[in-house]
Amino acid sequence: MTLTRTSRGLDPLLLVGAGGPAFVYREFSLARLSAHPVILADSAPPDWARSYLTHHIAADLTDSESTAAAVKAHAAQHHVAGVVAYMEHHVVLAAELAHLLNLPGSSPASMAAARDKAQSRRLFAEHGVPSARSLQAVDADEAVAHAELLGYPVVVKPRGLAGSAGVVRADNVAQARAAFTRASVETVLDLDQYAVPGVLVEEYLSGPEISAETVVLGPGETRIVAVTRKQLGPQPTFQEYGHTVDARDDLLHDPDLANVVAAAAEALDITLGVLHVELRLTADGPRIIEVNARVGGDLIPLLVHAATGIDLLRVAAAIATGATPDLQPRRQQAAAIRFAYPTVTGTIEQLSVPHAIVRRAHTERYVWTRQVGDPVSAPPHASISDRLAHWVVLGSDAADCNLRADLVARHLTASISGPVTTTSCAR
């Protein structure tokens, strides 16, 4: 299928999976990629994606063989210069397609190792990368046994999901059993269709959580271009309530962080691409939570671009097409995003935030992601699909951004009818 968008003169790029209507955070990523002519391989392009595309290859992305055949047929008739994926679901398939077309990229095996948290942990242990001790459990009894071996508290998580789905802290036997049950059945945005099944019981790492937005330019050439400070919600879950990027973050010059991130990429044999590497800053130094072999979600690329001028999507496109990416910072600012979660489970009756407050906080955007009449779940049962809204603020530094983001949060009101009461809440 040929769409109407015209070429801008750059090499055509194959995007594996745009995301459906629920993936509102990904339009920014596709818009940045569309400096290139973009060929989408997906079952059908969502309406929000169509204006950015030049071609659409109809493909069932859960069937790698049929997708490969469709892409190969397209490539026989049309030039394809690179392959990218910005969704966790499709990083392995994208690597397989790049390999099939003899285009730049890390190996499919390295992408599969990053997707599989159990395999990642094994490779980190083998290569001496600071991480968390981790054991796979086949049932609740084994999960309890592993928890007692590691020592409480522990973290119980699905082996192959993302977005903190099903990740729960357990402090005792009863909680470990409940956490195993949840991790066994949890899903988020249909990612379970692309995931290795299984449940892990892991050592709890204490300390602030960050992500290192990382570019790998070749074997042994790993650069952290931005650091994202994460704001987590209340435990026992680990939902992300916000992110802040400051171009002047001291961690950009921390040799321990740089060494750990580089070692993680090398352990997984990732030799090319953009990574979103999550870590905890423990008392013993940085330790890896996981390596995501793609740009970060939650509009983190927007924050990085606003704060530093570095465009992670165009960096990914350049690497995928064999070009030299632009990693030169051009700004010394900060940017932050916050997410509003419901404080009670029920049906949304009313959502509001004063326009004057949104303007006063210098928001880059404010977006309602749920509507009146929608059912929502509050933590600890909430997932990212329960977020009510998100907003992005810009500022001179992280402290400035956090003040502005908090100003909006204090004035956001959500009325949600639960089984008994109606609650007005701000986040």
Side-chain angles (χ1 to χ4, degrees), residues 102-120:
N102 197 30
L103 294 171
S106 289
S107 70
S110 66
M111 297 295 98
R115 279 286 298 119
D116 183 346
K117 292 177 174 60
Q119 188 177 357
S120 294

Side-chain angles (χ1 to χ4, degrees), residues 336-380:
I337 188 169
R338 293 292 183 270
F339 305 98
Y341 280 84
T343 57
V344 295
T345 296
T347 301
I348 300 172
E349 293 191 339
Q350 186 256 343
L351 296 168
S352 66
V353 65
H355 293 299
I357 294 296
V358 172
R359 289 194 302 271
R360 203 169 101 201
H362 300 278
T363 58
E364 189 272 347
R365 65 184 62 192
Y366 186 97
V367 179
W368 293 109
T369 48
R370 300 306 298 264
Q371 299 177 355
V372 171
D374 287 348
V376 289
S377 296

Side-chain angles (χ1 to χ4, degrees), residues 4-368:
T4 57
R5 184 179 172 276
T6 58
S7 168
R8 299 185 185 181
L10 294 176
D11 287 330
L13 196 64
L14 176 67
L15 171 64
V16 184
F23 289 86
V24 294
Y25 307 115
R26 292 304 191 179
E27 184 172 357
F28 174 84
S29 295
L30 179 52
R32 303 309 297 174
L33 289 177
S34 69
H36 292 253
V38 177
I39 307 153
L40 174 67
D42 207 341
S43 56
D47 288 343
W48 58 261
R50 289 180 175 273
S51 64
Y52 303 109
L53 306 175
T54 55
H55 287 83
H56 168 232
I57 302 171
D60 176 1
L61 299 183
T62 63
D63 184 341
S64 58
E65 290 187 7
S66 68
T67 298
V71 167
K72 189 173 182 180
H74 178 91
Q77 301 294 324
H78 306 275
H79 178 46
V80 178
V83 183
V84 295
Y86 53 57
M87 292 172 56
E88 186 73 10
H89 307 55
H90 309 308
V91 293
V92 176
L93 178 56
E96 292 172 348
L97 295 174
H99 181 74
L100 173 71
L101 300 178
N102 197 30
L103 294 171
S106 289
S107 70
S110 66
M111 297 295 98
R115 279 286 298 119
D116 183 346
K117 292 177 174 60
Q119 188 177 357
S120 294
R121 293 290 193 221
R122 285 195 296 270
L123 289 169
F124 295 154
E126 289 173 10
H127 289 82
V129 180
S131 179
R133 293 175 293 159
S134 178
L135 297 166
Q136 188 169 352
V138 298
D139 56 32
D141 288 339
E142 190 170 31
V144 169
H146 290 338
E148 292 179 345
L149 178 64
L150 294 171
Y152 290 105
V154 295
V155 175
V156 183
K157 63 174 61 174
R159 181 175 175 176
L161 296 188
S164 301
V167 183
V168 179
R169 170 176 163 156
D171 294 336
N172 54 49
V173 170
Q175 291 177 8
R177 288 186 178 278
F180 176 87
T181 299
R182 177 170 179 175
S184 300
V185 300
E186 190 87 0
T187 185
V188 61
L189 302 173
D190 297 324
L191 187 55
D192 57 301
Q193 297 182 51
Y194 304 86
V196 179
V199 175
L200 304 180
V201 181
E202 298 191 337
E203 172 190 11
Y204 175 77
L205 301 178
S206 181
E209 184 169 328
I210 67 164
S211 60
E213 316 314 328
T214 303
V215 177
V216 184
L217 297 171
E221 294 184 63
T222 302
R223 287 181 57 181
I224 299 173
V225 298
V227 170
T228 304
R229 303 273 183 166
K230 297 182 177 293
Q231 182 185 58
L232 299 182
Q235 293 184 16
T237 59
F238 296 86
Q239 290 294 342
E240 294 172 346
Y241 277 46
H243 310 282
T244 303
V245 175
D246 190 331
R248 301 183 184 88
D249 198 304
D250 290 342
L251 287 175
L252 288 167
H253 311 290
D254 186 315
D256 291 337
L257 178 64
N259 290 338
V260 169
V261 168
E266 290 173 11
L268 298 173
D269 196 29
I270 297 174
T271 56
L272 209 58
V274 178
L275 310 179
H276 173 71
V277 184
E278 298 182 344
L279 308 98
R280 282 273 175 137
L281 304 179
T282 75
D284 297 321
R287 295 176 71 176
I288 297 287
I289 297 175
E290 62 188 42
V291 174
N292 299 283
R294 53 169 172 79
V295 297
D298 280 356
L299 286 176
I300 288 174
L302 184 156
L303 304 184
V304 173
H305 189 237
T308 71
I310 297 172
D311 192 326
L312 291 175
L313 276 306
R314 294 187 181 175
V315 169
I319 290 172
T321 57
T324 301
D326 182 1
L327 302 181
Q328 181 63 42
R330 288 179 170 79
R331 300 188 188 109
Q332 293 287 305
Q333 300 177 159
I337 188 169
R338 293 292 183 270
F339 305 98
Y341 280 84
T343 57
V344 295
T345 296
T347 301
I348 300 172
E349 293 191 339
Q350 186 256 343
L351 296 168
S352 66
V353 65
H355 293 299
I357 294 296
V358 172
R359 289 194 302 271
R360 203 169 101 201
H362 300 278
T363 58
E364 189 272 347
R365 65 184 62 192
Y366 186 97
V367 179
W368 293 109

Side-chain angles (χ1 to χ4, degrees), residues 400-423:
D400 190 23
C401 284
N402 291 335
L403 286 173
R404 292 174 176 181
D406 290 345
L407 173 66
V408 176
R410 289 196 303 272
H411 290 84
L412 186 156
T413 299
S415 295
I416 299 172
S417 62
V420 180
T421 60
T422 298
T423 302

